Amino acid sequence: QVQLVESGGGLVQAGGSLRLSCAASGRTFSRYAMGWFRQAPGKEREFVAYISWSGGRTYYSNSVKGRFTISRDNAKNTVYLQMNSLKPEDTAVYYCAASTTFPTTTRVDAYDYWGQGTQVTVSS
């Protein structure tokens, strides 16, 4: 069982930056691949980025590639999402999630545990 708590969301102007954090409980954090997803009002939840259990492999959606960076610190049971050059279309609730599925996937249904989400709002 893993419990996830996101933080770091907020209101930022277009072109600005935010860093999201996701703190995980439990001693088995390093066994999970971790992903970030987002959901805008009236839209389906969509994949943003994932990182393998070791941190050695990352993958991004085309919409955030080159602007967002996912990382993890297994000693701190925390995964991060550094978001730069933010755009109004990045506005959404951002969720972190943990997956034991191999190979790591972008599919929402492959993630076993989810946080409660943190709101990111980018003003134009």
Side-chain angles (χ1 to χ4, degrees):
Q1 188 83 359
V2 177
Q3 292 185 326
L4 305 171
V5 179
E6 301 97 335
S7 61
L11 173 64
V12 64
Q13 288 188 333
S17 299
L18 283 174
R19 188 175 84 153
L20 305 183
S21 298
C22 173
S25 64
R27 295 175 292 177
T28 59
F29 174 73
S30 61
R31 297 181 183 179
Y32 293 89
M34 298 297 297
W36 284 97
F37 293 77
R38 66 187 183 186
Q39 188 166 17
K43 295 187 177 181
E44 293 187 352
R45 192 167 298 188
E46 66 172 2
F47 167 78
V48 174
Y50 72 59
I51 188 166
S52 62
W53 65 272
S54 68
R57 183 169 181 250
T58 58
Y59 185 77
Y60 300 89
S61 69
N62 287 336
S63 61
V64 307
K65 193 178 299 182
R67 300 187 297 122
F68 291 11
T69 302
I70 189 170
S71 61
R72 67 189 296 162
D73 185 337
N74 285 345
K76 296 182 178 179
N77 280 12
T78 303
V79 62
Y80 305 97
L81 186 68
Q82 177 67 44
M83 305 186 296
N84 298 329
S85 302
L86 283 161
K87 305 175 181 179
E89 52 263 44
D90 294 318
T91 295
V93 177
Y94 283 70
Y95 299 89
C96 70
S99 174
T100 57
T101 300
F102 184 83
T104 309
T105 176
T106 64
R107 290 178 20 232
V108 171
D109 62 1
Y111 287 76
D112 308 289
Y113 303 101
W114 292 82
Q116 83 290 347
T118 185
Q119 177 70 47
V120 171
T121 303
V122 184
S123 63
S124 57

